Amino acid sequence: MLFNSLDFAIFLPLVFALYWFVFGRSRKAQNSILLIASYVFYGWWDWRFLGLILFSTVVDYLVGIGLGREENLSHRKLILLVSVLVNLGFLGYFKYFNFFLGNFVRAFSLFGQELSISSLDIVLPVGISFYTFQTLSYSIDVYRKKINPTQDFLTYAAYVSFFPQLVAGPIERASRLIPQFNRERVFGYSKSVDGLKQILWGLFTKIVIADNCSIIVNRIFNPSESYSGSTLIVGGIFFAFQIYGDFSGYSNIAIGVAKLFGFDLMKNFAFPYFSRDIAEFWRRWHISLTSWFRDYLYVPLGGSREGIWKTIQNTFIIFLVSGFWHGANWTFILWGLINALFFIPLLVLGRNRNNLGVVAEGRILPSLKELIGMGLTFSLIVMGWIFFRAENLSHLTLILKQIFSPSLFAVPYFFGRLNAFYTLVGVVFFILIEWFGRESEFAIQTLGSKWKTSYRWLFYYGLIYVILIFTGSGQKFIYFQF
Amino acid sequence: MKYFIKRLFIFLSIPIVILTVVFIAVPETPRSEKSLLFSKLDKDYLLRNTSAPRLILMGGSNLSFGIDSSMLEQELGITPINTAIQATIGTYYIMDTILDNVQTGDILVMSIEYSQYFGRHAYGGEELLRTVMDVDRSTINKLRPNQWLNLIVYFPKYSISKIKPTEYILKENIEIGIYERESFNQYGDAVVHWGHNHSDFPPYDRIEGRFNHKFIKDLLIFEQQVEGLDATLYITFPGLQETTFQIMEDQIRKVESELIKNGFNLLGTPDRYMITELLMYNTPYHLNREGVVYRTGLLIEDLQAAGIIPGESE
C-alpha cells in the first residue's frame, strides 16, 4: 500500500478510529490492531511475502529468548549466528543472488570458461532490506546485553512490522521502539497535529517535488539517449532533489503517521543539503541507516580506535557496504566508494567533526564561508548521485564521458520547458521552506506558529492545493526497491 | 481527542465543500475544451451519420495514433470510423457507449492496449472522468460501479484542475496540435504527428496487476451483444514497440492465449504487430507516419484473410 494512494487514505483513518475509539482502553488490543493493520498494509503488495516477515519475526523472537537464557559465550555466538544467517540469507537470496551469479559467470568467462547458468526469476520483497536490519539489530542488541529480550511475541511482531516504517524505514532500534509498545498510550493533541503537519510536508515533497523532478531525470538519464555534459549535470541536480524529496518525504509521512498512534520514530533526515562538508552530510542523510552501520559494523570492526589506517579501512568498508545495501549493482558500490573518497580527506585531516551544529544557527542567512561550504558539498553530492542514478556500468561510463567532455560547457537542454520551469519554482520554494525550518524537526513544524490560525490554514490549504494538482500518477517511492 | 477530531473535521470540510461545488458547477475549462477527449463528439457524429456497414475501430491511442483509415477504405471498400482516443478512458466505457451506435452489417475491430487486460485498467482513469464530466455528461449513467471506484481518486484532481490558473491563461503542452480535438482527420485518425520525426522515449515497464478474467467474460458478453445487432467483432493486437514487447512478453502471451481459449475472432498475432523502434513516434504505442502505413498494411492483410475483401462487405 503506497502512502500516496487512495487505499492508504482509507486505511489510515480506519485504523486510527479502531486504534483509539474501539481498542483505546487496552494496550494489548492496540498492539494487536497495529499488528493486523501492518500485515494488511504489507500484504497489500503481495500477501505471499507475509510468510517471510513472519518467519523472520519468529526466528529473531526465539533467538532473543535463547540469548536471554544462555550465558555461555560460544553458545550465545551460535544462537546469534542463526539470526545473522537467516536475515542475511533472505537478503542475499532475494536481493543479491542474481548479482553474484552474473558476476561469477562473467569472471569465469574471463578465463575462457563459459558457464551456462541462467539467473533466477526472483521478485524482491518490498522493504526486505529495512525489516531484516531491524530484526538483526534486535538480536545483536540482546546478544550484547544492551536490551533484555522481550517475552511478549505480540509486542515483538508489532515492533518488526510496524506499518509506518515497515517498508522504507526509518530503521528503528528495539531499545527505542519496543518500550513504546509496552507503554500505555495517551492521545496527544499537539503530537497528532505535529504528525499531520509532517504527513502534509512529506506528501508535498514526494508528490510535488520528487515526482516532478523524476519526469526530467528519467528523460535525461534514459540510457538510449545521449545528452550533453551540462544537461547531465542538470539531471544530477534534479535527481538530488528527487531522491531527497522522495525518501525524506516517505520518512516524514512515516514519522507523522506514527505520531498519530502515539509513537516517536527516529529522525531520518536533518536537512542534509545544507551540510557544510561531506562528513556533516553523512550525519544528516538517512540517519537510521548510517547509524546502523556505525553501531553494527564500523564499531565492531574497530571504528577509529586502532589508528588512522585502520580507521580509513573501516570507513571504506562501511561506505562500500552501504552502497551495496542499496542494490545489487556495481554503480551503487562505486557510489559508496566515491563518497568514501570524498570523506577520507576530512578524516585524515581531523576535520570530519567540524560542523556538528545547525548551519547559520539563529541567523537568517549563512556566512560566505558557510555558503561556499554548502555549495561545494552539494556539488560533490550531485556527482555521487550521478553514479547512483546510472542504470549500469556501461551507462555510467557513457555519462562520465559526456560530463568530462567539451559538452559540459554547452547550454543545457530543457525539454518541456514550462513544466521544467514549474518544477524549478517548486524546488526553490522547497529549499526556502527547508532553510527557514532547518532548526526544527521537519521543515514546517514551527512555520507559522505565530501566525493567525486563518493564515496558517491558508498556507496548509496552499500545500494541499498543489499536492492535489500533481496527485494521480501514484509513483512508487524509490527506496522501496532497496 | 474530541477537540482534535472537531478541528480536523472543520479543516477538511472547507476544501471538501469548495471542491464539491467546483466539481459539480464549474464547466469545462477553455484548455480542456481543446483536448483530444473532445474529439469524441466528432467521432460520435460520424457513428450516427455514416451509413452502415462501417468498419468501426475501437481502442486506445494505439489506434488513434496508429492507423490510416483512408488506406483501409481504399483497400477494403468499406468506410472506417476510428473511434479510438486514449486507453485511459477504459475499454468498458468504449464498449458500453459504442453499442448504441452499432448497426446491422458493421464490422467492429477492437485493438486495445495490453494493459487493459490486467488489473483495473479497463475500468478507466482520469480521462474517463473528464470524458463523462466535461465531454458527454449524457453517458455518465453508463458507468459501472467498478468504474466509479477507479474514478474516486481523481475527483480532487479534477476539481482542482478547474481552479488552476493555467487552465484559463496558459497552455502547458508544448506538443501543440498533437493531442487536440483538431488533431484528427475525417475518419477519426490522429494525423498531426504524421509530419513529425521519431523521438526517443523509454519503453514501458511490465503491466501492473493480475490478469483480469472478469474483463474477458465481459468481453464475451459484448461480443454477443454485437452479434445480436447483426454486426461482427474482431479483436486484433496493438502495434507495440519491440523493446516494450520484450519486457512484457509473458503478459502478452497470456492475453493471446486467453483470447484464443475463449474463441474470439482474432486478426493476426501479437508478434506480427511488434513494431521496430524506427517506426515509433513518441510512446511505445504511438507510430510515426511510416509506422502507421506499415501497421495499417498488416491490418488490411489480416482483415482480408478474415474474409473482408473489396466489394464483399457492401
Side-chain angles (χ1 to χ4, degrees):
Chain A
M1 203 180 289
L2 292 169
F3 280 163
N4 52 335
S5 68
L6 178 68
D7 302 335
F8 189 72
I10 295 166
F11 171 84
L12 181 62
L14 193 70
V15 178
F16 180 85
L18 287 172
Y19 181 81
W20 289 113
F21 300 128
V22 183
F23 300 102
R25 289 187 183 169
S26 155
R27 180 183 58 80
K28 208 163 190 170
Q30 282 184 316
N31 287 348
S32 305
I33 198 73
L34 282 182
L35 180 64
I36 294 165
S38 298
Y39 282 170
V40 170
F41 178 84
Y42 192 68
W44 213 255
W45 272 287
D46 196 329
W47 61 268
R48 290 170 301 175
F49 293 132
L50 279 174
L52 212 60
I53 197 168
L54 193 62
F55 185 73
S56 181
T57 306
V58 171
V59 167
D60 282 277
Y61 171 74
L62 294 175
V63 162
I65 302 273
L67 288 170
R69 288 178 186 166
E70 187 59 59
E71 284 302 323
N72 181 298
L73 187 63
S74 54
H75 288 178
R76 288 173 65 77
K77 276 185 181 165
L78 271 178
I79 296 171
L80 178 66
L81 193 64
V82 172
S83 167
V84 173
L85 286 177
V86 167
N87 286 300
L88 295 187
F90 276 164
L91 212 51
Y93 174 73
F94 284 103
K95 198 166 172 176
Y96 301 109
F97 183 83
N98 283 335
F99 174 79
F100 283 119
L101 189 73
N103 281 289
F104 184 68
V105 170
R106 262 193 296 277
F108 262 79
S109 71
L110 288 177
F111 297 102
Q113 296 285 319
E114 294 301 327
L115 299 179
S116 59
I117 309 171
S118 51
S119 58
L120 297 181
D121 188 15
I122 300 171
V123 181
L124 182 68
V126 175
I128 190 168
S129 309
F130 292 88
Y131 70 75
T132 49
F133 268 42
Q134 192 155 308
T135 50
L136 207 49
S137 75
Y138 168 78
S139 298
I140 298 171
D141 282 352
V142 175
Y143 171 79
R144 289 174 175 174
K145 298 191 173 175
K146 276 189 168 182
I147 55 169
N148 292 321
T150 179
Q151 305 294 320
D152 181 357
F153 181 74
L154 175 66
T155 298
Y156 183 71
Y159 151 74
V160 174
S161 63
F162 189 39
F163 75 87
Q165 44 86 239
L166 172 62
V167 291
I171 302 166
E172 271 299 341
R173 305 296 175 80
S175 56
R176 269 179 55 87
L177 201 51
I178 288 182
Q180 296 188 57
F181 277 102
N182 287 329
R183 219 168 38 211
E184 292 300 325
R185 265 140 269 168
V186 182
F187 181 83
Y189 175 79
S190 19
K191 190 180 205 168
S192 300
V193 171
D194 222 33
L196 287 178
K197 281 198 271 185
Q198 202 158 358
I199 293 169
L200 180 62
W201 187 241
L203 287 171
F204 176 82
T205 56
K206 163 64 184 162
I207 294 169
V208 181
I209 304 301
D211 288 356
N212 278 299
C213 286
S214 78
I215 297 167
I216 298 170
V217 171
N218 291 346
R219 187 80 187 252
I220 292 177
F221 288 105
N222 176 5
S224 65
E225 300 197 34
S226 176
Y227 289 102
S228 66
S230 56
T231 307
L232 288 163
I233 294 289
V234 168
I237 293 170
F238 275 108
F239 182 64
F241 287 102
Q242 183 197 346
I243 194 162
Y244 177 51
D246 192 287
F247 195 20
S248 74
Y250 188 92
S251 295
N252 275 326
I253 299 168
I255 297 167
V257 169
K259 281 179 182 169
L260 291 178
F261 293 91
F263 286 83
D264 290 307
L265 298 182
M266 73 182 293
K267 194 174 180 175
N268 218 12
F269 292 89
F271 310 99
Y273 290 159
F274 299 140
S275 300
R276 288 150 288 183
D277 58 50
I278 282 289
E280 186 184 8
F281 173 78
W282 280 106
R283 280 191 296 276
R284 294 175 173 277
W285 179 270
H286 202 172
I287 298 165
S288 65
L289 182 71
T290 46
S291 62
W292 197 100
F293 279 123
R294 183 196 61 210
D295 294 347
Y296 300 108
L297 187 63
Y298 183 70
V299 172
L301 285 170
S304 55
R305 299 186 304 272
E306 296 171 30
I308 189 70
W309 290 112
K310 186 81 175 168
T311 309
I312 290 172
Q313 179 195 304
N314 293 341
T315 306
F316 263 112
I317 290 171
I318 60 160
F319 270 108
L320 290 178
V321 173
S322 169
F324 198 44
W325 176 89
H326 284 84
N329 195 330
W330 284 103
T331 53
F332 293 127
I333 297 173
L334 286 176
W335 170 72
L337 179 71
I338 197 173
N339 273 287
L341 292 174
F342 293 155
F343 185 87
I344 298 292
L346 293 172
L347 187 72
V348 173
L349 296 170
R351 297 175 65 175
N352 56 314
R353 298 188 68 79
N354 271 10
N355 296 307
L356 295 175
V358 177
V359 63
E361 196 164 5
R363 287 178 281 134
I364 292 177
L365 294 173
S367 65
L368 186 63
K369 189 185 165 197
E370 288 168 332
L371 195 65
I372 292 170
M374 286 191 289
L376 285 174
T377 308
F378 185 71
S379 309
L380 294 177
I381 295 162
V382 167
M383 200 61 215
W385 286 139
I386 288 171
F387 280 69
F388 191 95
R389 181 59 182 79
E391 301 283 335
N392 47 45
L393 281 182
S394 52
H395 185 216
L396 178 63
T397 313
L398 280 176
I399 291 171
L400 293 176
K401 267 186 191 164
Q402 283 297 100
I403 288 177
F404 295 108
S405 76
S407 72
L408 180 64
F409 304 102
V411 177
Y413 173 65
F414 280 94
F415 40 83
R417 286 181 188 183
L418 203 54
N419 283 335
F421 174 72
Y422 289 150
T423 307
L424 197 61
V425 170
V427 168
V428 170
F429 173 78
F430 172 65
I431 295 170
L432 286 175
I433 298 288
E434 287 260 308
W435 176 259
F436 288 112
R438 71 194 182 284
E439 292 181 35
S440 314
E441 189 193 335
F442 59 95
I444 61 165
Q445 186 181 32
T446 52
L447 186 76
S449 55
K450 290 175 186 165
W451 299 351
K452 276 184 180 176
T453 307
S454 52
Y455 292 157
R456 206 168 51 244
W457 281 26
L458 266 179
F459 174 72
Y460 300 143
Y461 285 143
L463 289 182
I464 293 170
Y465 174 75
V466 187
I467 288 168
L468 288 177
I469 283 180
F470 292 105
T471 295
S473 55
Q475 293 221 24
K476 281 181 184 162
F477 289 85
I478 294 177
Y479 264 69
F480 283 10
Q481 64 189 297
F482 305 142
Chain B
M1 174 69 96
K2 268 186 189 169
Y3 183 64
F4 174 77
I5 299 290
K6 192 177 145 192
R7 296 270 290 180
L8 187 61
F9 180 77
I10 296 168
F11 179 80
L12 292 177
S13 299
I14 296 169
I16 287 171
V17 168
I18 293 172
L19 290 182
T20 308
V21 170
V22 168
F23 184 87
I24 297 164
V26 177
E28 59 274 15
T29 65
R31 183 172 169 271
S32 72
E33 274 178 353
K34 292 185 175 175
S35 89
L36 84 172
L37 295 180
F38 277 77
S39 68
K40 180 182 186 307
L41 301 175
D42 307 320
K43 291 171 186 240
D44 285 351
Y45 178 85
L46 286 176
L47 278 173
R48 280 194 307 272
N49 295 288
T50 309
S51 50
R54 295 86 48 92
L55 184 70
I56 301 172
L57 303 170
M58 307 163 58
S61 62
N62 80 83
L63 267 183
S64 53
F65 283 76
I67 286 291
D68 180 352
S69 295
S70 65
M71 282 174 68
L72 290 170
E73 185 171 42
Q74 206 176 335
E75 294 294 326
L76 302 170
I78 182 169
T79 310
I81 301 172
N82 191 343
T83 67
I85 300 174
Q86 203 169 343
T88 43
I89 291 172
T91 307
Y92 276 100
Y93 181 78
I94 295 169
M95 291 192 298
D96 292 343
T97 51
I98 214 156
L99 275 175
D100 293 341
N101 291 305
V102 173
Q103 297 173 24
T104 302
D106 280 345
I107 296 163
L108 281 74
V109 174
M110 180 187 275
S111 166
I112 53 177
E113 285 68 11
Y114 291 111
S115 59
Q116 299 289 303
Y117 296 95
F118 292 86
R120 301 182 54 82
H121 298 280
Y123 299 117
E126 187 179 353
E127 277 66 30
L128 175 59
L129 182 63
R130 292 188 184 281
T131 302
V132 294
M133 289 304 294
D134 291 348
V135 181
D136 190 357
R137 281 205 185 196
S138 68
T139 56
I140 206 161
N141 58 353
K142 302 243 181 219
L143 295 189
R144 304 172 185 216
N146 260 322
Q147 288 172 293
W148 280 114
L149 265 179
N150 262 30
L151 297 188
I152 289 169
V153 71
Y154 299 105
F155 281 16
K157 192 181 178 190
Y158 170 75
S159 299
I160 286 284
S161 74
K162 289 186 169 184
I163 48 174
K164 199 173 155 191
T166 50
E167 287 288 307
Y168 297 89
I169 53 171
L170 282 172
K171 274 181 167 288
E172 280 184 353
N173 200 336
I174 58 155
E175 291 174 309
I176 298 166
I178 296 169
Y179 298 114
E180 291 185 4
R181 183 175 181 176
E182 284 77 26
S183 315
F184 298 87
N185 66 8
Q186 72 272 28
Y187 300 102
D189 308 327
V191 292
V192 174
H193 75 290
W194 286 1
H196 295 193
N197 291 329
H198 158 84
S199 64
D200 286 326
F201 54 86
Y204 285 158
D205 281 336
R206 286 174 57 75
I207 303 161
E208 282 189 8
R210 298 204 177 99
F211 190 84
N212 188 345
H213 290 279
K214 185 177 182 313
F215 174 67
I216 293 289
K217 282 181 192 163
D218 291 331
L219 203 53
L220 280 168
I221 295 170
F222 176 70
E223 188 184 38
Q224 287 162 9
Q225 288 169 324
V226 170
E227 284 167 0
L229 294 164
D230 289 328
T232 317
L233 173 72
Y234 288 95
I235 294 178
T236 186
F237 301 94
L240 179 63
Q241 178 203 30
E242 194 173 351
T243 325
T244 303
F245 190 100
Q246 284 155 359
I247 291 170
M248 49 176 79
E249 186 168 353
D250 60 310
Q251 294 174 304
I252 292 170
R253 299 278 169 243
K254 173 76 179 165
V255 170
E256 186 185 16
S257 71
E258 287 291 331
L259 291 175
I260 291 170
K261 198 168 86 183
N262 284 282
F264 288 103
N265 299 320
L266 298 185
L267 298 173
T269 63
D271 302 74
R272 219 169 120 69
Y273 289 94
M274 183 172 73
I275 309 286
T276 179
E277 215 69 38
L278 287 174
L279 299 183
M280 305 306 304
Y281 174 50
N282 66 346
T283 82
Y285 280 115
H286 293 179
L287 308 179
N288 62 17
R289 178 64 187 139
E290 291 74 26
V292 165
V293 171
Y294 173 71
R295 194 232 177 148
T296 311
L298 294 177
L299 185 61
I300 289 167
E301 286 171 13
D302 288 335
L303 282 163
Q304 284 172 334
I308 303 159
I309 50 173
E312 280 204 359
S313 55
E314 302 218 21

